[in-house]
Amino acid sequence: MTAKIFRKSYWRTNWSHIIGQTFIHITMAILLFCMIYPLLMSVWCAFKTTVEYDISKFYPTLPLKLSNLAAAFDKVGGYVYNTLAVALFGLIGSLFISSLASYAFATMHFPGKQVFFMMVVCLMMIPGCLTLVPQFLLYKNLHLNNKLLAILLPQLTTQPVGQVFLLTMVFSALPKDLFNAADIDGASQFQIYYNIAIPVSIPILITQAIMQINGLWNDYLWPMTVISTNYEALTISAGLVIELRTQYTQNMPITYSGYLIASLPLVCLFLFGNKFYIQGLMSSSIKM
């Protein structure tokens, strides 16, 4: 009798577990489909004609119209070059500034060190929209509005704030014996920074680079705010809206091709930097 009751209880528990797990998996499959399907749809719609798009936008068709990519690149290629130029110079400048400041905060002793570091931390808490209008007025008075330089300079002034906080945590976790040994050997502070601090912090630097490029690539608000007439100086996110979408007409396959071209550099960047990106996130979280 006891064994019979045990078997009934076991099968009842087992079936409830199977039903629960089945429900969870079905829910996850539905959510995954809702996330992946729009992405796939944007890919195959980039290779359709306008007639095929009107008839069969929800499923792929053959043949693929590869000429859409060339047509879209003629329209958005300039914006891609602008974004790459801003990303390159902004990335080099911001990482150089933030790494130098972080090294000073982590290894040096000077009056007001804690106050300055807390000011940097406080700057991280200020929403970007709060400084949007003052920042626009500043660049306007400097006669930099409608210029690509107005998009580049914020990469050197605002991006290092968060980078300084993370890099300071990383540099502070490095063994002090490394710096002491280099100092005894007669190395200058810049030599210690360049030959010791930077090489061991490559993963977190690459992580910061990926995050900064991703933020710049998807930034729409600031370029559209600071550039109102000289649309040739826009970056890719704002340029896509200006170039591929109008009030009255819209070639959707060309638009999807432009979106595909705009997303490919970020996809390639993440694929090649994925290992360092995850390693940098793990190292920074552990050291914090």
Side-chain angles (χ1 to χ4, degrees), residues 131-160:
T131 60
L132 185 64
V133 174
Q135 193 173 7
F136 169 76
L137 294 176
L138 173 64
Y139 284 95
K140 183 179 180 181
N141 291 330
L142 293 174
H143 303 288
L144 293 177
N145 58 317
N146 290 314
K147 296 180 181 179
L148 188 62
L149 190 60
I151 304 177
L152 172 61
L153 286 180
Q155 298 295 313
L156 305 177
T157 57
T158 59
Q159 289 294 334

Side-chain angles (χ1 to χ4, degrees), residues 177-206:
D177 294 340
L178 289 175
F179 303 110
N180 294 334
D183 187 47
I184 293 174
D185 289 339
S188 64
Q189 289 293 338
F190 186 79
Q191 288 175 327
I192 298 174
Y193 155 81
Y194 182 77
N195 294 312
I196 297 178
I198 292 300
V200 300
S201 305
I202 291 297
I204 187 61
L205 290 175
I206 295 178

